[in-house]
């Protein structure tokens, strides 16, 4: 069993990061975790839409996730098949019976949904060995050990569906301190789409364009009121796609503005750039932009918890002696933490909330890994210790001997 290949799949709701452990040459491939349908009615799996169409307008995404839970294996299995075909080398088919699989799922996944995943892994694909965990639990294995104390680490994992706060003590999840903020890339995209469609152009059928605008123009304000008063100074021009010179659009600057056609459509963005990401710190912005809730007195008086509040709550629910250590080792992971100024804004907010004699340190860049790939590289580094990974994994023989509930008993979150 020592000659098994280790395959790490970070099964994110936006992208799947997958790849084999190849030592220092390990790199993940990214597969869009969706089945798409273009305007001309063609169906694409994974990344196929990127090469089969030049017009992304009107594209529809069907994702196997709902509220962060993997609910549709009818949608997910073709994407996994596509992923395994693409992760293979030299056109050689992947044989799951020779593979040790390390797979991620979201925290507090419903047990029945986790059991469905286990059945697919062993009964449909027939992987030889299998370890399932949540993505933030792998982050301590990919951080810079010279700066971060991995024995006491607080992971802020902000992805497409939501943001999770996970305290890790001696590489173990302290489940009593786990908190969730239902704000992620998907919600930010929806809010930006509504604002742009109301103020400028109807972009209700352009999800790829909205995501591109968010990633290339949005940033976290250091002083929200000040920036709101000076929003004209923060104006940004985004060149919309004409599907001749560009299919995705780009931010206009001195370099690329010389040869623009005379009929180029330009979208001018002002306070949208920092109002949308501000949702992490003021979730009530969501209700202010909804006609049904903006005038509702019950909603307006409700105490919504923001990201700093939940982080403080998470730290305070951990053993007292570990609290200052956790505040000094806060690690950011997930694609949504790539928003400009995220680290500095979060640090400033936490210093206001936590005791003044505590050190607050937030880390974002880790050993040149991308934020959204930290968990995948953590899985690769974990798999370097074959004995440890073998001890915590379940073999196909164990699964069929003990039954479907055996995986949940070994991998599931502990009741809190």
């Amino acid at each position: 069993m020592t000659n098994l290949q280790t395959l790490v799949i970070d099964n994110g709701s936006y992208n799947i990061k997958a790849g084999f452990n190849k030592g220092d040459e390990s790199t993940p491939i990214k597969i869009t975790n969706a089945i798409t349908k273009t305007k001309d009615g063609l169906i694409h799996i994974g990344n196929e839409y990127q090469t089969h169409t030049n017009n992304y307008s009107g594209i529809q995404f069907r994702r196997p996730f709902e509220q962060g839970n993997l609910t549709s294996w009818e949608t997910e299995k073709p994407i996994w098949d596509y992923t395994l075909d693409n992760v293979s080398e030299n056109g050689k088919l992947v044989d799951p019976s020779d593979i040790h699989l390390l797979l991620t799922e979201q925290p507090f996944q419903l047990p029945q949904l986790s059991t469905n995943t286990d059945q697919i892994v062993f009964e449909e694909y027939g992987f030889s060995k299998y370890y399932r965990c949540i993505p933030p639990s792998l982050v301590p294995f990919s951080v810079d050990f010279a700066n971060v104390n991995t024995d006491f680490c607080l992971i802020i994992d902000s992805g497409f569906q939501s943001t999770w706060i996970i305290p890790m003590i001696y590489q173990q999840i302290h489940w009593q301190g786990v908190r969730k903020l239902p704000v992620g890339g998907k919600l930010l995209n929806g809010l930006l789409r509504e604002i742009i469609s109301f103020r400028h152009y109807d972009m209700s059928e352009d999800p790829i364009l909205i995501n591109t605008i968010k990633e290339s123009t949005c940033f976290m304000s250091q002083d929200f009121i000040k920036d709101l008063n000076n929003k004209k100074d923060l104006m940004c021009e985004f060149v919309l796609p004409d599907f001749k010179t560009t299919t995705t659009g780009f931010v206009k600057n001195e370099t690329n503005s010389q040869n623009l056609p005379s009929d180029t459509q330009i979208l001018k963005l002002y306070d949208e750039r920092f109002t949308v990401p501000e949702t992490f710190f003021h979730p009530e912005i969501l209700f202010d932009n909804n006609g049904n809730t903006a005038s509702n007195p019950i909603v307006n008086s409700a105490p919504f918890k923001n990201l700093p509040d939940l982080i403080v709550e998470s730290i305070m629910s951990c053993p007292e002696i570990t609290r200052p250590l956790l505040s000094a080792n806060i690690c950011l992971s997930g694609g949504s933490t790539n928003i400009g100024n995220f680290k500095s804004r979060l640090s400033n907010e936490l210093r206001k909330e936590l005791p003044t004699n505590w050190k607050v340190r937030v880390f974002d860049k880790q050993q040149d890994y991308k934020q959204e790939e930290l968990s995948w590289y953590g899985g690769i580094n974990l798999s370097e210790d074959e004995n440890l990974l073998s001890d915590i994994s379940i073999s196909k023989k164990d699964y069929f001997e003990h039954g479907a509930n055996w995986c949940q008993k070994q991998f599931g979150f502990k009741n809190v």
Side-chain angles (χ1 to χ4, degrees):
M1 302 297 273
T2 56
N3 59 352
L4 292 176
Q5 283 185 295
T6 302
L7 173 64
V8 180
I9 298 180
D10 183 7
N11 201 43
S13 55
Y14 185 74
N15 276 336
I16 295 175
K17 280 75 69 180
F20 288 102
N21 184 350
K22 301 175 186 175
D24 294 337
E25 299 179 359
S26 300
T27 53
I29 62 166
K30 291 184 181 179
I31 305 295
T32 302
N33 201 354
I35 293 177
T36 53
K37 182 179 181 181
T38 53
K39 224 171 187 177
D40 52 7
L42 293 177
I43 304 296
H44 302 289
I45 297 174
N47 294 344
E48 288 179 350
Y49 76 93
Q50 297 175 359
T51 54
H52 290 186
T53 178
N54 290 323
N55 189 343
Y56 295 143
S57 179
I59 195 169
Q60 299 176 11
F61 286 83
R62 182 182 177 188
R63 299 187 183 275
F65 285 81
E66 292 181 21
Q67 303 293 322
N69 294 293
L70 177 53
T71 57
S72 174
W73 269 103
E74 292 80 5
T75 306
E76 187 69 284
K77 191 171 186 304
I79 304 170
W80 269 38
D81 293 339
Y82 174 86
T83 301
L84 292 176
D85 288 341
N86 280 271
V87 84
S88 61
E89 292 182 331
N90 304 322
K92 191 167 65 174
L93 292 177
V94 172
D95 183 3
S97 63
D98 294 330
I99 291 175
H100 192 155
L101 176 66
L102 199 160
L103 176 69
T104 67
E105 66 173 10
Q106 83 147 13
F108 297 124
Q109 179 83 284
L110 295 173
Q112 184 56 53
L113 297 180
S114 294
T115 301
N116 293 344
T117 300
D118 302 333
Q119 290 174 343
I120 294 290
V121 165
F122 282 124
E123 298 179 25
E124 290 284 337
Y125 287 102
F127 284 100
S128 179
K129 275 193 167 185
Y130 169 54
Y131 176 63
R132 166 165 56 81
C133 62
I134 65 174
S137 69
L138 298 174
V139 171
F141 294 96
S142 61
V143 299
D144 185 352
F145 301 118
N147 294 318
V148 182
N149 181 353
T150 56
D151 288 338
F152 304 95
C153 197
L154 187 72
I155 314 298
I156 313 299
D157 184 28
S158 184
F160 187 62
Q161 296 280 353
S162 57
T163 300
W164 288 93
I165 299 117
I166 312 287
M168 300 282 295
I169 300 175
Y170 294 119
Q171 279 81 44
Q172 297 290 321
I173 303 162
H174 187 72
W175 288 105
Q176 289 88 340
V178 175
R179 297 292 183 273
K180 178 185 179 182
L181 178 71
V183 176
K186 181 179 180 181
L187 187 143
L188 298 185
N189 285 356
L191 181 57
L192 183 62
R193 181 188 66 236
E194 292 299 318
I195 294 176
I196 291 178
S197 297
F198 178 75
R199 296 180 178 178
H200 307 281
Y201 304 99
D202 181 10
M203 293 190 179
S204 56
E205 294 186 352
D206 293 291
I208 295 178
L209 177 58
I210 287 292
N211 193 65
T212 303
I213 293 172
K214 179 196 73 178
E215 291 181 350
S216 57
T217 66
C218 286
F219 67 93
M220 202 72 76
S221 171
Q222 300 296 337
D223 188 332
F224 184 71
I225 301 301
K226 179 182 176 182
D227 286 344
L228 203 57
N229 292 330
N230 301 316
K231 61 183 179 182
K232 290 186 178 179
D233 298 334
L234 298 169
M235 189 269 289
C236 171
E237 292 184 316
F238 187 87
V239 177
L240 294 173
D242 56 8
F243 304 106
K244 297 174 185 175
T245 57
T246 173
T247 58
T248 57
F250 55 87
V251 175
K252 181 182 176 183
N253 54 40
E254 294 180 0
T255 306
N256 57 30
S257 61
Q258 304 298 325
N259 301 316
L260 289 178
S262 57
D263 60 346
T264 299
Q265 283 187 305
I266 294 179
L267 175 66
K268 292 186 177 181
L269 299 169
Y270 295 91
D271 58 305
E272 301 97 330
R273 298 182 64 199
F274 54 89
T275 300
V276 170
E278 189 68 17
T279 310
F280 282 103
F281 300 95
H282 292 94
E284 61 272 12
I285 288 174
L286 290 171
F287 302 104
D288 293 339
N289 285 276
N290 187 303
N292 295 326
T293 56
S295 58
N296 190 319
I298 298 176
V299 172
N300 287 333
S301 61
F304 297 107
K305 290 187 177 179
N306 56 31
L307 182 57
D309 288 342
L310 289 172
I311 292 174
V312 172
E313 190 178 288
S314 174
I315 292 174
M316 293 304 177
S317 65
C318 295
E320 185 174 352
I321 196 171
T322 67
R323 294 171 189 172
L325 297 167
L326 290 170
S327 72
N329 295 279
I330 299 174
C331 297
L332 302 180
S333 72
S336 293
T337 60
N338 287 317
I339 296 172
N341 300 333
F342 193 103
K343 171 187 172 181
S344 55
R345 174 66 186 279
L346 182 60
S347 299
N348 293 336
E349 294 292 335
L350 289 176
R351 287 191 180 97
K352 298 174 186 176
E353 301 291 335
L354 293 169
T356 54
N357 61 333
W358 289 10
K359 185 181 288 187
V360 176
R361 298 190 306 167
V362 180
F363 301 93
D364 54 354
K365 301 292 186 294
Q366 302 284 352
Q367 306 191 65
D368 296 327
Y369 298 149
K370 294 180 180 179
Q371 297 291 100
E372 61 271 22
E373 297 174 3
L374 272 179
S375 297
W376 186 86
Y377 278 105
I380 291 294
N381 294 335
L382 171 62
S383 67
E384 295 289 343
D385 190 336
E386 295 183 6
N387 293 329
L388 173 60
L389 184 60
S390 182
D391 289 342
I392 59 179
S393 299
I394 286 177
S395 67
K396 182 162 61 174
K397 178 183 176 183
D398 292 334
Y399 174 81
F400 285 108
E401 181 178 337
H402 296 282
N405 292 330
W406 186 247
C407 290
Q408 187 61 21
K409 183 179 179 181
Q410 300 296 317
F411 302 144
F413 60 88
K414 307 298 184 259
N415 291 326
V416 297

